[in-house]
Amino acid sequence: MQNTKVSAFSLELIPRIPEAQSMDVLSSQSNLAGYRAVIEAAHLYDKAFPMMMTAAGTVLPAKVLVVGAGVAGLQAIATTRRLGAVVMGYDVRPAAKEQVESLGATFVEVDGTENAETAGGYAKRNGGRLSASPRSKVEKKLWGRGYYYHHGPDPWTGCP
């Protein structure tokens, strides 16, 4: 780039504050990641996402659990709902419940999960790991789901 006299700027370290919202590349890319993940999942899924009633019978809608209700997760919930699936959402931050429900999804509440919310409202990077009891409750919710979408730190291991 130096030889071609190209100027390049890295925008991922711009603070996530209201004044810099128009330059927030993390949120815009997370938004696209949530959308794209659902489109990919719908493509790979054996059945259709929406409920379909035909003369041959009824195809039940897909059931999807989205783990993580940040920017990407909320976009995944919204896109999945638009495709006609039944959606459930989970997040380690109790405040995310209202956002998940506002998109028409059911929030999975798990007793015993620590609140892993930072002062800025984001989920802690390695916080919110699920202990054995809450983990089994979320895994029961996973049973029978068509797809499980997860973006961000894994609540089971803390790994991204």
Side-chain angles (χ1 to χ4, degrees), residues 24-71:
D24 185 3
V25 294
L26 292 175
S27 290
S28 67
Q29 293 305 300
S30 291
N31 202 358
L32 289 170
Y35 171 80
R36 181 61 189 222
V38 172
I39 299 301
E40 292 291 329
H43 174 72
L44 295 172
Y45 192 51
D46 300 7
K47 304 171 187 171
F49 268 31
M51 180 170 84
M52 294 188 183
M53 297 169 71
T54 68
T58 302
V59 176
L60 296 176
K63 296 177 182 175
V64 177
L65 174 63
V66 177
V67 176
V71 173

Side-chain angles (χ1 to χ4, degrees), residues 67-141:
V67 176
V71 173
L74 292 173
Q75 182 59 253
I77 289 170
T79 303
T80 305
R81 288 268 303 149
R82 284 193 297 268
L83 290 176
V86 175
V87 188
M88 297 177 76
Y90 171 77
D91 198 276
V92 294
R93 300 165 298 149
K97 177 181 180 181
E98 184 179 333
Q99 295 171 333
V100 168
E101 291 175 344
S102 74
L103 292 171
T106 305
F107 188 76
V108 177
E109 294 193 49
V110 179
D111 296 331
T113 303
E114 68 178 75
N115 183 355
E117 188 170 358
T118 65
Y122 298 104
K124 291 179 187 171
R125 182 101 176 120
N126 285 323
R129 288 187 192 168
L130 295 179
S131 62
S133 174
R135 177 178 176 167
S136 67
K137 290 178 184 175
V138 172
E139 286 173 342
K140 284 180 187 172
K141 296 287 184 184

